[in-house]
Amino acid sequence: MIATVPPPTPAPVTIVHVLVGAAIGGAERLVVDLATAPQTAFRHVIAVQTPSSELVAFLKKSGALVEARPVRALGGLSFLGNTFLPSERHWLVDVARRYDACMMHTHTFQSHLFGARAASLAGLRHVRTEHHINHWEAATSAPFSRAALRSTDAIACISSYIHDYLEANVPHGRTRLVTVPNGVSTERFHELPRAPLDDDHPATFAMTCRLEAWKRVDLAIRAVAAVGKMPEFASQKPRLLIAGTGPEEERLRALAVELGAAVDFLGHVHDTREVLARAHAGISCSDREPFGLAVAEAMASGRPVLGVSGGGVDEVIGEDGGGVLVPHPTALVDAVAAFLRSPATWASRGQQARARVEAHFSQRQMVAGYTEFWASVLASPARRS
């Protein structure tokens, strides 16, 4: 009797994810999640051009395949060299060929430009994820982004907010736009026990973000300070935990002192779950947030979120009772005071927040969305405008 030998299992198709940056942000974390997800349809390689050894270490620690290209800097004249020198482009093409890749997936502004040219040279499909709209609005970057569309097959938007903006404002030609919402690991960000609330533990709100002007952290400081001056909360002033660093830090520290706000600046925090464990709710003040990953992480941890309406935060908080959206920053003071007046509602809101993330913004759903996205691009004719 002749034994039947099963046909060999085809090797996974390889996608090269391209990053150009110096910090560990939402794009870098998303790439790690995609590259290390337990699915076998695709193999992932991360090609990173960066001056930051910390970023390289973060990527490698995840267990992903990483190819690093050290550069001195990213801005100024360095930007032109990093993006347009043939030696840089040929390095990325070589990475793709060594891993027998069929697609490049770019994730940051400079990587869009860098990767689009390399993908064209290598004859590969090129897709990109849009994490923000800033580079489409700036006069110095928008022309480069538009040029890169000529060799882009499809764009994945991390929220409907970004999708709608591109649909209305960017002549993307035959490039397809799809929405694949960001996702949170509901195993890592599990529901936390309710934080204590008593004389020694005042009502506490948490913000985890980079301290940049557009994040409007100053609004949270002003709201907490204003509520703390209300007579009814004189003995229980609310506290604000701010985890993150950035160019606005010095100004924000001075503002907190000036207003007498109870604010703890925690600096860079490796594990934001430690901050969320101390908080009763999260707070988000930007009306231009592209998605609101920190908001989703807080909600996954069982923390309701106060948010200023606008941007992707509207989609994340939704209307399921897991948070409160205020129509204008001036309404933040009343919203914070309302939370303090009804602490019993916080636990139920936290449970609803967790349920919303599980239903709509889990990491599992995000990976499934990208897997379908890649497969559909590979199965369709190349799109070139």
Side-chain angles (χ1 to χ4, degrees):
M1 182 176 181
I2 300 175
T4 302
V5 179
T9 302
V13 173
T14 300
I15 298 172
V16 174
H17 296 268
V18 188
L19 290 170
V20 178
I24 302 169
E28 290 74 21
R29 292 162 65 188
L30 178 139
V31 170
V32 164
D33 287 343
L34 295 178
T36 59
Q39 51 89 7
T40 58
F42 298 95
R43 180 176 69 162
H44 303 274
V45 178
I46 303 174
V48 57
Q49 188 190 64
T50 180
S52 171
S53 58
E54 181 184 6
L55 174 56
V56 174
F58 166 77
L59 297 173
K60 289 184 175 180
K61 186 178 180 180
S62 71
L65 290 169
V66 178
E67 295 284 340
R69 181 72 162 179
V71 293
R72 285 190 174 185
L74 297 178
L77 292 177
S78 296
F79 160 73
L80 296 175
N82 298 342
T83 304
F84 299 111
L85 278 178
S87 58
E88 300 303 304
R89 190 161 63 251
H90 286 302
W91 166 75
L92 187 52
V93 170
D94 178 65
V95 170
R97 287 174 175 167
R98 281 192 285 114
Y99 288 96
D100 195 23
C102 66
M103 179 184 292
M104 282 190 186
H105 189 151
T106 57
H107 294 268
T108 52
F109 165 64
Q110 291 189 37
S111 79
H112 291 333
L113 317 183
F114 180 39
R117 293 167 67 86
S120 181
L121 181 62
L124 303 181
R125 309 303 291 272
H126 170 228
V127 299
R128 58 198 274 180
T129 292
E130 287 293 0
H131 296 265
H132 221 298
I133 64 173
N134 288 355
H135 61 92
W136 289 108
E137 296 186 326
T140 55
S141 56
F144 291 106
S145 289
R146 294 175 190 274
L149 286 177
R150 288 195 292 268
S151 55
T152 302
D153 292 285
I155 297 175
C157 305
I158 66 170
S159 65
S160 297
Y161 166 67
I162 290 182
H163 183 286
D164 293 346
Y165 174 88
L166 293 179
E167 188 71 48
N169 297 284
V170 177
H172 53 275
R174 296 173 62 224
T175 301
R176 290 183 298 158
L177 295 175
V178 301
T179 300
V180 184
N182 268 354
V184 174
S185 170
T186 51
E187 290 75 31
R188 182 170 184 269
F189 286 90
H190 56 81
E191 188 168 0
L192 296 168
R194 188 179 179 186
L197 182 64
D198 51 40
D199 291 343
D200 296 323
H201 302 88
T204 302
F205 298 84
M207 293 191 80
T208 59
C209 64
R210 182 159 172 77
L211 304 185
E212 298 179 332
W214 69 273
K215 290 287 189 179
R216 298 308 311 271
V217 178
D218 61 303
L219 296 176
I221 295 174
R222 293 181 187 279
V224 167
V227 173
K229 292 176 181 177
M230 293 180 178
E232 64 181 298
F233 304 121
S235 61
Q236 272 286 303
K237 293 184 177 182
R239 179 167 292 276
L240 177 63
L241 308 178
I242 298 177
T245 60
E248 288 283 290
E249 183 171 354
E250 184 176 347
R251 186 180 74 86
L252 293 171
R253 285 181 178 273
L255 179 65
V257 172
E258 175 190 342
L259 299 178
V263 181
D264 294 337
F265 288 88
L266 307 177
H268 173 71
V269 176
H270 177 68
D271 190 343
T272 57
R273 293 174 298 180
E274 298 172 3
V275 180
L276 294 170
R278 298 168 52 190
H280 300 93
I283 189 166
S284 174
C285 298
S286 174
D287 61 358
R288 291 171 55 82
E289 192 71 52
F291 174 78
L293 188 59
V295 170
E297 290 173 348
M299 292 172 64
S301 302
R303 300 298 186 252
V305 176
L306 295 181
V308 175
S309 184
V313 169
D314 292 21
E315 302 168 43
V316 180
I317 294 179
E319 300 178 353
D320 298 345
V324 174
L325 282 167
V326 299
H328 192 273
T330 56
L332 270 177
V333 174
D334 290 339
V336 170
F339 261 63
L340 267 64
R341 293 188 184 109
S342 56
T345 65
W346 292 8
S348 61
R349 284 187 180 277
Q351 292 169 353
Q352 290 168 301
R354 168 75 183 185
R356 178 165 179 79
V357 172
E358 289 180 326
H360 302 287
F361 304 110
S362 71
Q363 186 183 97
R364 174 183 52 78
Q365 290 166 310
M366 178 185 71
V367 171
Y370 273 103
T371 300
E372 181 179 347
F373 172 63
W374 296 319
S376 68
V377 170
L378 290 173
S380 62
R383 294 174 180 249
R384 297 289 185 263
S385 56

